[in-house]
Amino acid sequence: MTPRTALGALHIGALMFGLTGVFGKLAAASPAIIVFGRAAFAVLALAFFARFASNTRWQKLNAVDLRRLLLSGLLLTGHWVSFFIAVKVAGVAIATLGFASFPAFTVILEGLIFRERIRANEILLVVLVSVGLVLVTPDFDLASGATAGLLWAVASGLLFALLSLTNRASSGRIPPVQAALCQNVVVAICLLPVAVPQLSEVRAIDWLWIGLLGVFCTGVAHSLFVASLAVIKARTASVVFALEPVYGITLAWLLFDENPTLRMLIGGALIIVAIVVSSRLSGSSSKNAVAAQAPSH
């Protein structure tokens, strides 16, 4: 890839990640079925990429690696299921904005888990996300479907932050594509007992949306990120990845007529600014660490 084509690939990957909620809403299936199908199709797509398009040699996994991949797979399962519950309950826009709270959780958890000092600009990031979530909240009645969906989405963001930190701990040794494939295998296995009784009820058109979700929003999107990192700086990749909520909310507005209120737009803008700031702050992280986060949403 040239730098120009790599930047284009990054934006296409971010757009595909932004389609995650859209395909999840189009598929009239339960979140468990959607996540199971997504993981299964993602395994096929990632295996194809690893076999024919990647020159990275896979690492032999030791016991520590297997435990970390199992943990990250469980976190990924919870992250995806809670996100798609939010999509079903509150819509794509609210689910995407709630999930986008993950930079604030990452800052807090990094301080707690890795004993890293929280800087003043990171405190500002947490404040921006918190204010943004308050503004995005449709009302403060827990009986409201939109509010319940937002809470599911925030839980998804928390699980994504935990997953990112788990990936960070192992990203220096395990190639991103190998880690992503193993994590998706864990997801599929975890949900297999729940999914099997429901498989016969899934419509053909729903399998189309789930297949697109697994192949393009997971396998292809992650592969584009990994390939582009060969010539693009990690800082640039993380900032482009931060545009995912913009793509997702715009597509929800165009396809589902999810018209945000002025208050939601202001709150969403604050959250997106926080994501960009977080991306800039983490620009010194390794390319493997950035790529390891890519398949998670």
Short mmCIF file of all heavy atoms in Angstrom, two decimals, residues 69-133:
data_model
loop_
_atom_site.label_atom_id
_atom_site.label_comp_id
_atom_site.label_asym_id
_atom_site.label_seq_id
_atom_site.Cartn_x
_atom_site.Cartn_y
_atom_site.Cartn_z
N LEU A 69 -6.41 -14.94 25.83
CA LEU A 69 -7.33 -14.99 24.70
C LEU A 69 -8.72 -15.46 25.13
O LEU A 69 -9.73 -14.98 24.61
CB LEU A 69 -6.77 -15.92 23.61
CG LEU A 69 -5.56 -15.37 22.85
CD1 LEU A 69 -4.95 -16.45 21.96
CD2 LEU A 69 -5.95 -14.16 22.00
N LEU A 70 -8.76 -16.37 26.08
CA LEU A 70 -10.06 -16.82 26.60
C LEU A 70 -10.76 -15.66 27.31
O LEU A 70 -11.96 -15.42 27.09
CB LEU A 70 -9.86 -17.98 27.57
CG LEU A 70 -11.13 -18.48 28.29
CD1 LEU A 70 -12.16 -18.97 27.28
CD2 LEU A 70 -10.78 -19.59 29.28
N LEU A 71 -10.02 -14.93 28.14
CA LEU A 71 -10.60 -13.78 28.84
C LEU A 71 -11.07 -12.72 27.85
O LEU A 71 -12.18 -12.19 27.97
CB LEU A 71 -9.57 -13.19 29.81
CG LEU A 71 -9.99 -11.89 30.51
CD1 LEU A 71 -11.25 -12.09 31.34
CD2 LEU A 71 -8.85 -11.35 31.38
N SER A 72 -10.23 -12.41 26.86
CA SER A 72 -10.61 -11.38 25.89
C SER A 72 -11.80 -11.83 25.05
O SER A 72 -12.67 -11.02 24.69
CB SER A 72 -9.42 -11.03 24.98
OG SER A 72 -8.96 -12.17 24.27
N GLY A 73 -11.89 -13.13 24.75
CA GLY A 73 -13.04 -13.64 24.02
C GLY A 73 -14.33 -13.52 24.82
O GLY A 73 -15.38 -13.17 24.27
N LEU A 74 -14.26 -13.78 26.13
CA LEU A 74 -15.43 -13.62 26.99
C LEU A 74 -15.85 -12.15 27.07
O LEU A 74 -17.04 -11.83 27.03
CB LEU A 74 -15.13 -14.17 28.38
CG LEU A 74 -14.91 -15.68 28.48
CD1 LEU A 74 -14.45 -16.07 29.88
CD2 LEU A 74 -16.18 -16.43 28.11
N LEU A 75 -14.86 -11.25 27.18
CA LEU A 75 -15.17 -9.82 27.22
C LEU A 75 -15.78 -9.36 25.90
O LEU A 75 -16.71 -8.55 25.88
CB LEU A 75 -13.90 -9.02 27.53
CG LEU A 75 -13.35 -9.14 28.95
CD1 LEU A 75 -11.98 -8.49 29.04
CD2 LEU A 75 -14.30 -8.50 29.95
N LEU A 76 -15.25 -9.88 24.80
CA LEU A 76 -15.78 -9.54 23.48
C LEU A 76 -17.22 -10.02 23.34
O LEU A 76 -18.07 -9.30 22.79
CB LEU A 76 -14.91 -10.16 22.39
CG LEU A 76 -15.31 -9.89 20.94
CD1 LEU A 76 -15.33 -8.39 20.65
CD2 LEU A 76 -14.34 -10.59 19.98
N THR A 77 -17.52 -11.20 23.87
CA THR A 77 -18.88 -11.71 23.82
C THR A 77 -19.83 -10.77 24.56
O THR A 77 -20.88 -10.38 24.03
CB THR A 77 -18.95 -13.11 24.47
OG1 THR A 77 -18.05 -14.00 23.80
CG2 THR A 77 -20.36 -13.68 24.38
N GLY A 78 -19.46 -10.40 25.78
CA GLY A 78 -20.29 -9.49 26.55
C GLY A 78 -20.44 -8.12 25.90
O GLY A 78 -21.53 -7.53 25.89
N HIS A 79 -19.35 -7.63 25.33
CA HIS A 79 -19.37 -6.32 24.66
C HIS A 79 -20.34 -6.32 23.49
O HIS A 79 -21.19 -5.43 23.36
CB HIS A 79 -17.95 -5.97 24.19
CG HIS A 79 -17.89 -4.94 23.11
ND1 HIS A 79 -18.39 -3.67 23.26
CD2 HIS A 79 -17.40 -5.01 21.85
CE1 HIS A 79 -18.22 -2.98 22.14
NE2 HIS A 79 -17.62 -3.78 21.27
N TRP A 80 -20.23 -7.33 22.63
CA TRP A 80 -21.09 -7.38 21.45
C TRP A 80 -22.56 -7.60 21.82
O TRP A 80 -23.45 -6.95 21.28
CB TRP A 80 -20.61 -8.48 20.51
CG TRP A 80 -19.51 -8.05 19.60
CD1 TRP A 80 -19.08 -6.77 19.38
CD2 TRP A 80 -18.70 -8.89 18.76
NE1 TRP A 80 -18.05 -6.77 18.47
CE2 TRP A 80 -17.80 -8.05 18.07
CE3 TRP A 80 -18.65 -10.26 18.54
CZ2 TRP A 80 -16.86 -8.55 17.17
CZ3 TRP A 80 -17.72 -10.77 17.65
CH2 TRP A 80 -16.83 -9.91 16.97
N VAL A 81 -22.82 -8.54 22.74
CA VAL A 81 -24.21 -8.82 23.12
C VAL A 81 -24.86 -7.58 23.72
O VAL A 81 -25.99 -7.22 23.36
CB VAL A 81 -24.28 -10.01 24.10
CG1 VAL A 81 -25.69 -10.14 24.68
CG2 VAL A 81 -23.89 -11.30 23.39
N SER A 82 -24.18 -6.90 24.63
CA SER A 82 -24.75 -5.71 25.26
C SER A 82 -24.94 -4.59 24.23
O SER A 82 -25.95 -3.86 24.28
CB SER A 82 -23.88 -5.23 26.42
OG SER A 82 -22.55 -5.00 26.00
N PHE A 83 -24.04 -4.48 23.27
CA PHE A 83 -24.18 -3.44 22.24
C PHE A 83 -25.42 -3.70 21.38
O PHE A 83 -26.19 -2.78 21.11
CB PHE A 83 -22.93 -3.37 21.36
CG PHE A 83 -23.05 -2.38 20.23
CD1 PHE A 83 -22.94 -1.02 20.47
CD2 PHE A 83 -23.31 -2.81 18.94
CE1 PHE A 83 -23.06 -0.09 19.44
CE2 PHE A 83 -23.44 -1.88 17.90
CZ PHE A 83 -23.31 -0.53 18.15
N PHE A 84 -25.62 -4.95 20.96
CA PHE A 84 -26.77 -5.24 20.10
C PHE A 84 -28.09 -5.20 20.87
O PHE A 84 -29.13 -4.91 20.28
CB PHE A 84 -26.57 -6.57 19.37
CG PHE A 84 -25.54 -6.49 18.27
CD1 PHE A 84 -24.37 -7.20 18.34
CD2 PHE A 84 -25.76 -5.67 17.17
CE1 PHE A 84 -23.41 -7.11 17.34
CE2 PHE A 84 -24.81 -5.56 16.16
CZ PHE A 84 -23.63 -6.28 16.24
N ILE A 85 -28.05 -5.48 22.16
CA ILE A 85 -29.25 -5.24 22.97
C ILE A 85 -29.59 -3.75 22.95
O ILE A 85 -30.75 -3.37 22.79
CB ILE A 85 -29.04 -5.73 24.41
CG1 ILE A 85 -28.96 -7.25 24.45
CG2 ILE A 85 -30.18 -5.24 25.32
CD1 ILE A 85 -28.63 -7.81 25.83
N ALA A 86 -28.57 -2.91 23.09
CA ALA A 86 -28.79 -1.46 23.05
C ALA A 86 -29.35 -1.02 21.71
O ALA A 86 -30.25 -0.16 21.64
CB ALA A 86 -27.47 -0.73 23.34
N VAL A 87 -28.85 -1.61 20.62
CA VAL A 87 -29.35 -1.27 19.28
C VAL A 87 -30.83 -1.62 19.17
O VAL A 87 -31.64 -0.84 18.65
CB VAL A 87 -28.54 -2.00 18.20
CG1 VAL A 87 -29.22 -1.89 16.84
CG2 VAL A 87 -27.13 -1.44 18.12
N LYS A 88 -31.19 -2.81 19.65
CA LYS A 88 -32.58 -3.26 19.55
C LYS A 88 -33.50 -2.40 20.41
O LYS A 88 -34.65 -2.12 20.04
CB LYS A 88 -32.70 -4.72 19.98
CG LYS A 88 -31.92 -5.71 19.12
CD LYS A 88 -32.48 -5.79 17.71
CE LYS A 88 -31.79 -6.88 16.89
NZ LYS A 88 -32.28 -6.95 15.50
N VAL A 89 -33.03 -1.99 21.58
CA VAL A 89 -33.88 -1.28 22.54
C VAL A 89 -33.96 0.22 22.24
O VAL A 89 -35.04 0.82 22.30
CB VAL A 89 -33.36 -1.50 23.98
CG1 VAL A 89 -34.12 -0.63 24.97
CG2 VAL A 89 -33.49 -2.97 24.36
N ALA A 90 -32.81 0.83 21.90
CA ALA A 90 -32.76 2.30 21.81
C ALA A 90 -32.42 2.84 20.43
O ALA A 90 -32.50 4.05 20.22
CB ALA A 90 -31.75 2.83 22.83
N GLY A 91 -32.01 1.99 19.49
CA GLY A 91 -31.65 2.47 18.17
C GLY A 91 -30.15 2.60 18.00
O GLY A 91 -29.38 2.56 18.96
N VAL A 92 -29.73 2.77 16.75
CA VAL A 92 -28.30 2.78 16.41
C VAL A 92 -27.59 3.99 16.99
O VAL A 92 -26.49 3.88 17.54
CB VAL A 92 -28.13 2.74 14.87
CG1 VAL A 92 -26.65 2.81 14.51
CG2 VAL A 92 -28.76 1.49 14.29
N ALA A 93 -28.19 5.17 16.90
CA ALA A 93 -27.51 6.40 17.31
C ALA A 93 -27.20 6.38 18.80
O ALA A 93 -26.05 6.64 19.22
CB ALA A 93 -28.36 7.62 16.96
N ILE A 94 -28.20 6.10 19.63
CA ILE A 94 -27.98 6.09 21.08
C ILE A 94 -27.02 4.98 21.47
O ILE A 94 -26.14 5.16 22.32
CB ILE A 94 -29.32 5.96 21.83
CG1 ILE A 94 -30.13 7.25 21.68
CG2 ILE A 94 -29.10 5.63 23.30
CD1 ILE A 94 -31.49 7.23 22.35
N ALA A 95 -27.16 3.81 20.85
CA ALA A 95 -26.25 2.70 21.15
C ALA A 95 -24.81 3.06 20.81
O ALA A 95 -23.88 2.77 21.58
CB ALA A 95 -26.68 1.45 20.38
N THR A 96 -24.61 3.70 19.67
CA THR A 96 -23.26 4.07 19.25
C THR A 96 -22.65 5.10 20.18
O THR A 96 -21.48 5.02 20.56
CB THR A 96 -23.28 4.60 17.81
OG1 THR A 96 -23.83 3.60 16.95
CG2 THR A 96 -21.89 4.95 17.33
N LEU A 97 -23.45 6.10 20.57
CA LEU A 97 -22.94 7.14 21.47
C LEU A 97 -22.66 6.58 22.86
O LEU A 97 -21.69 6.97 23.51
CB LEU A 97 -23.93 8.30 21.55
CG LEU A 97 -24.04 9.16 20.29
CD1 LEU A 97 -25.16 10.19 20.43
CD2 LEU A 97 -22.71 9.87 20.02
N GLY A 98 -23.51 5.69 23.34
CA GLY A 98 -23.26 5.08 24.64
C GLY A 98 -21.99 4.25 24.64
O GLY A 98 -21.17 4.33 25.56
N PHE A 99 -21.80 3.45 23.59
CA PHE A 99 -20.57 2.68 23.46
C PHE A 99 -19.34 3.58 23.41
O PHE A 99 -18.27 3.25 23.93
CB PHE A 99 -20.62 1.82 22.19
CG PHE A 99 -19.26 1.48 21.64
CD1 PHE A 99 -18.47 0.53 22.27
CD2 PHE A 99 -18.77 2.12 20.52
CE1 PHE A 99 -17.20 0.23 21.78
CE2 PHE A 99 -17.51 1.83 20.02
CZ PHE A 99 -16.73 0.88 20.65
N ALA A 100 -19.50 4.77 22.81
CA ALA A 100 -18.37 5.69 22.64
C ALA A 100 -17.86 6.24 23.96
O ALA A 100 -16.88 7.01 23.97
CB ALA A 100 -18.77 6.84 21.71
N SER A 101 -18.45 5.84 25.07
CA SER A 101 -17.95 6.24 26.38
C SER A 101 -16.66 5.50 26.76
O SER A 101 -16.05 5.81 27.78
CB SER A 101 -19.01 5.98 27.46
OG SER A 101 -19.31 4.59 27.52
N PHE A 102 -16.24 4.54 25.93
CA PHE A 102 -15.12 3.68 26.32
C PHE A 102 -13.82 4.42 26.60
O PHE A 102 -13.04 3.97 27.44
CB PHE A 102 -14.90 2.58 25.27
CG PHE A 102 -14.23 3.02 24.01
CD1 PHE A 102 -12.85 3.06 23.91
CD2 PHE A 102 -14.99 3.38 22.90
CE1 PHE A 102 -12.23 3.47 22.74
CE2 PHE A 102 -14.38 3.79 21.73
CZ PHE A 102 -13.00 3.84 21.65
N PRO A 103 -13.50 5.58 25.94
CA PRO A 103 -12.23 6.23 26.30
C PRO A 103 -12.18 6.66 27.76
O PRO A 103 -11.12 6.57 28.39
CB PRO A 103 -12.19 7.45 25.36
CG PRO A 103 -13.09 7.10 24.23
CD PRO A 103 -14.17 6.28 24.83
N ALA A 104 -13.30 7.11 28.31
CA ALA A 104 -13.32 7.51 29.71
C ALA A 104 -13.06 6.31 30.61
O ALA A 104 -12.28 6.38 31.58
CB ALA A 104 -14.66 8.15 30.05
N PHE A 105 -13.71 5.18 30.31
CA PHE A 105 -13.47 3.97 31.10
C PHE A 105 -12.02 3.52 30.97
O PHE A 105 -11.41 3.05 31.94
CB PHE A 105 -14.41 2.85 30.64
CG PHE A 105 -15.84 3.04 31.06
CD1 PHE A 105 -16.85 3.11 30.10
CD2 PHE A 105 -16.19 3.16 32.39
CE1 PHE A 105 -18.17 3.28 30.48
CE2 PHE A 105 -17.50 3.33 32.78
CZ PHE A 105 -18.49 3.40 31.82
N THR A 106 -11.45 3.65 29.77
CA THR A 106 -10.07 3.22 29.56
C THR A 106 -9.11 4.03 30.42
O THR A 106 -8.19 3.48 31.04
CB THR A 106 -9.69 3.38 28.06
OG1 THR A 106 -10.59 2.60 27.27
CG2 THR A 106 -8.27 2.90 27.82
N VAL A 107 -9.31 5.35 30.47
CA VAL A 107 -8.45 6.22 31.29
C VAL A 107 -8.52 5.81 32.75
O VAL A 107 -7.50 5.67 33.44
CB VAL A 107 -8.85 7.70 31.12
CG1 VAL A 107 -8.19 8.57 32.17
CG2 VAL A 107 -8.48 8.19 29.73
N ILE A 108 -9.74 5.61 33.25
CA ILE A 108 -9.92 5.26 34.66
C ILE A 108 -9.31 3.89 34.96
O ILE A 108 -8.59 3.71 35.96
CB ILE A 108 -11.41 5.28 35.03
CG1 ILE A 108 -11.97 6.71 34.90
CG2 ILE A 108 -11.63 4.76 36.45
CD1 ILE A 108 -13.48 6.79 35.00
N LEU A 109 -9.58 2.92 34.09
CA LEU A 109 -9.10 1.55 34.34
C LEU A 109 -7.58 1.45 34.20
O LEU A 109 -6.95 0.67 34.91
CB LEU A 109 -9.79 0.58 33.38
CG LEU A 109 -11.29 0.38 33.63
CD1 LEU A 109 -11.92 -0.41 32.49
CD2 LEU A 109 -11.52 -0.33 34.96
N GLU A 110 -7.00 2.22 33.27
CA GLU A 110 -5.55 2.22 33.15
C GLU A 110 -4.90 2.68 34.45
O GLU A 110 -3.88 2.15 34.88
CB GLU A 110 -5.10 3.10 31.99
CG GLU A 110 -5.18 2.44 30.63
CD GLU A 110 -4.68 3.34 29.52
OE1 GLU A 110 -4.73 4.58 29.68
OE2 GLU A 110 -4.24 2.81 28.48
N GLY A 111 -5.51 3.70 35.07
CA GLY A 111 -4.98 4.18 36.34
C GLY A 111 -5.10 3.15 37.44
O GLY A 111 -4.20 3.01 38.28
N LEU A 112 -6.21 2.40 37.43
CA LEU A 112 -6.43 1.40 38.48
C LEU A 112 -5.63 0.13 38.26
O LEU A 112 -5.04 -0.42 39.20
CB LEU A 112 -7.93 1.06 38.55
CG LEU A 112 -8.86 2.18 39.01
CD1 LEU A 112 -10.31 1.73 38.88
CD2 LEU A 112 -8.56 2.59 40.44
N ILE A 113 -5.60 -0.36 37.01
CA ILE A 113 -4.97 -1.65 36.71
C ILE A 113 -3.46 -1.53 36.53
O ILE A 113 -2.69 -2.31 37.08
CB ILE A 113 -5.62 -2.29 35.46
CG1 ILE A 113 -7.10 -2.58 35.74
CG2 ILE A 113 -4.89 -3.57 35.06
CD1 ILE A 113 -7.87 -3.07 34.53
N PHE A 114 -3.03 -0.54 35.74
CA PHE A 114 -1.60 -0.40 35.44
C PHE A 114 -0.90 0.61 36.33
O PHE A 114 0.27 0.91 36.14
CB PHE A 114 -1.42 -0.01 33.96
CG PHE A 114 -1.85 -1.08 32.99
CD1 PHE A 114 -3.05 -0.96 32.30
CD2 PHE A 114 -1.08 -2.20 32.78
CE1 PHE A 114 -3.46 -1.94 31.41
CE2 PHE A 114 -1.48 -3.18 31.89
CZ PHE A 114 -2.67 -3.05 31.21
N ARG A 115 -1.65 1.17 37.30
CA ARG A 115 -1.08 2.13 38.24
C ARG A 115 -0.45 3.33 37.53
O ARG A 115 0.59 3.85 37.95
CB ARG A 115 -0.03 1.46 39.13
CG ARG A 115 -0.55 0.27 39.92
CD ARG A 115 -1.58 0.69 40.93
NE ARG A 115 -2.06 -0.44 41.74
CZ ARG A 115 -3.00 -0.36 42.66
NH1 ARG A 115 -3.57 0.81 42.89
NH2 ARG A 115 -3.38 -1.42 43.33
N GLU A 116 -1.07 3.74 36.44
CA GLU A 116 -0.57 4.88 35.69
C GLU A 116 -1.21 6.16 36.21
O GLU A 116 -2.41 6.20 36.50
CB GLU A 116 -0.85 4.72 34.19
CG GLU A 116 -0.13 3.53 33.57
CD GLU A 116 -0.43 3.38 32.09
OE1 GLU A 116 -1.29 4.13 31.58
OE2 GLU A 116 0.18 2.51 31.45
N ARG A 117 -0.41 7.20 36.31
CA ARG A 117 -0.92 8.48 36.80
C ARG A 117 -1.88 9.08 35.79
O ARG A 117 -1.60 9.14 34.60
CB ARG A 117 0.24 9.44 37.06
CG ARG A 117 -0.19 10.77 37.66
CD ARG A 117 1.02 11.61 38.02
NE ARG A 117 1.81 11.91 36.83
CZ ARG A 117 1.59 12.98 36.04
NH1 ARG A 117 0.58 13.79 36.31
NH2 ARG A 117 2.35 13.19 34.99
N ILE A 118 -3.05 9.50 36.25
CA ILE A 118 -4.03 10.13 35.38
C ILE A 118 -3.70 11.61 35.24
O ILE A 118 -3.65 12.34 36.23
CB ILE A 118 -5.46 9.95 35.93
CG1 ILE A 118 -5.80 8.46 36.05
CG2 ILE A 118 -6.48 10.66 35.05
CD1 ILE A 118 -7.17 8.19 36.65
N ARG A 119 -3.48 12.04 34.01
CA ARG A 119 -3.09 13.42 33.75
C ARG A 119 -4.31 14.33 33.67
O ARG A 119 -5.44 13.87 33.54
CB ARG A 119 -2.29 13.49 32.44
CG ARG A 119 -0.96 12.75 32.51
CD ARG A 119 -0.32 12.61 31.14
NE ARG A 119 -1.09 11.70 30.30
CZ ARG A 119 -0.73 11.35 29.06
NH1 ARG A 119 0.38 11.85 28.54
NH2 ARG A 119 -1.46 10.52 28.36
N ALA A 120 -4.03 15.63 33.73
CA ALA A 120 -5.12 16.63 33.73
C ALA A 120 -5.95 16.55 32.46
O ALA A 120 -7.19 16.65 32.51
CB ALA A 120 -4.53 18.03 33.91
N ASN A 121 -5.29 16.35 31.31
CA ASN A 121 -6.06 16.29 30.06
C ASN A 121 -6.90 15.02 29.98
O ASN A 121 -7.94 15.00 29.33
CB ASN A 121 -5.13 16.40 28.84
CG ASN A 121 -3.94 15.46 28.91
OD1 ASN A 121 -3.87 14.60 29.79
ND2 ASN A 121 -3.01 15.62 28.00
N GLU A 122 -6.48 13.97 30.68
CA GLU A 122 -7.30 12.76 30.72
C GLU A 122 -8.51 12.94 31.63
O GLU A 122 -9.58 12.39 31.37
CB GLU A 122 -6.44 11.57 31.18
CG GLU A 122 -5.37 11.18 30.17
CD GLU A 122 -4.42 10.13 30.70
OE1 GLU A 122 -4.18 10.11 31.91
OE2 GLU A 122 -3.92 9.34 29.88
N ILE A 123 -8.35 13.70 32.69
CA ILE A 123 -9.50 14.04 33.53
C ILE A 123 -10.51 14.84 32.73
O ILE A 123 -11.73 14.62 32.82
CB ILE A 123 -9.03 14.84 34.77
CG1 ILE A 123 -8.15 13.96 35.66
CG2 ILE A 123 -10.24 15.36 35.56
CD1 ILE A 123 -7.54 14.69 36.84
N LEU A 124 -10.02 15.77 31.89
CA LEU A 124 -10.91 16.53 31.01
C LEU A 124 -11.67 15.60 30.08
O LEU A 124 -12.87 15.79 29.82
CB LEU A 124 -10.09 17.55 30.21
CG LEU A 124 -10.87 18.36 29.15
CD1 LEU A 124 -11.97 19.19 29.81
CD2 LEU A 124 -9.92 19.25 28.36
N LEU A 125 -10.99 14.58 29.58
CA LEU A 125 -11.63 13.60 28.70
C LEU A 125 -12.80 12.91 29.41
O LEU A 125 -13.89 12.78 28.85
CB LEU A 125 -10.59 12.56 28.27
CG LEU A 125 -10.98 11.45 27.30
CD1 LEU A 125 -9.74 11.01 26.51
CD2 LEU A 125 -11.55 10.25 28.04
N VAL A 126 -12.58 12.48 30.65
CA VAL A 126 -13.63 11.82 31.42
C VAL A 126 -14.81 12.78 31.64
O VAL A 126 -15.97 12.38 31.53
CB VAL A 126 -13.07 11.33 32.77
CG1 VAL A 126 -14.20 10.78 33.65
CG2 VAL A 126 -12.01 10.27 32.57
N VAL A 127 -14.50 14.03 31.92
CA VAL A 127 -15.56 15.03 32.13
C VAL A 127 -16.37 15.23 30.85
O VAL A 127 -17.61 15.28 30.88
CB VAL A 127 -14.95 16.36 32.62
CG1 VAL A 127 -16.02 17.46 32.63
CG2 VAL A 127 -14.35 16.21 34.00
N LEU A 128 -15.69 15.32 29.71
CA LEU A 128 -16.38 15.51 28.43
C LEU A 128 -17.33 14.36 28.15
O LEU A 128 -18.49 14.56 27.75
CB LEU A 128 -15.37 15.65 27.29
CG LEU A 128 -14.62 16.96 27.17
CD1 LEU A 128 -13.57 16.87 26.06
CD2 LEU A 128 -15.57 18.11 26.87
N VAL A 129 -16.86 13.14 28.35
CA VAL A 129 -17.71 11.98 28.10
C VAL A 129 -18.89 11.96 29.06
O VAL A 129 -20.03 11.68 28.66
CB VAL A 129 -16.88 10.67 28.23
CG1 VAL A 129 -17.81 9.46 28.21
CG2 VAL A 129 -15.88 10.57 27.08
N SER A 130 -18.64 12.26 30.32
CA SER A 130 -19.72 12.24 31.31
C SER A 130 -20.80 13.26 30.98
O SER A 130 -22.01 12.95 31.01
CB SER A 130 -19.15 12.51 32.71
OG SER A 130 -18.18 11.54 33.07
N VAL A 131 -20.39 14.49 30.65
CA VAL A 131 -21.36 15.53 30.28
C VAL A 131 -22.09 15.12 29.00
O VAL A 131 -23.31 15.30 28.88
CB VAL A 131 -20.65 16.89 30.10
CG1 VAL A 131 -21.63 17.93 29.56
CG2 VAL A 131 -20.06 17.36 31.43
N GLY A 132 -21.34 14.56 28.05
CA GLY A 132 -21.96 14.11 26.80
C GLY A 132 -23.02 13.06 27.02
O GLY A 132 -24.10 13.11 26.42
N LEU A 133 -22.75 12.11 27.92
CA LEU A 133 -23.73 11.06 28.20
C LEU A 133 -24.98 11.62 28.88
O LEU A 133 -26.10 11.18 28.61
CB LEU A 133 -23.10 9.97 29.08
CG LEU A 133 -22.10 9.04 28.39
CD1 LEU A 133 -21.45 8.12 29.40
CD2 LEU A 133 -22.78 8.23 27.29
#
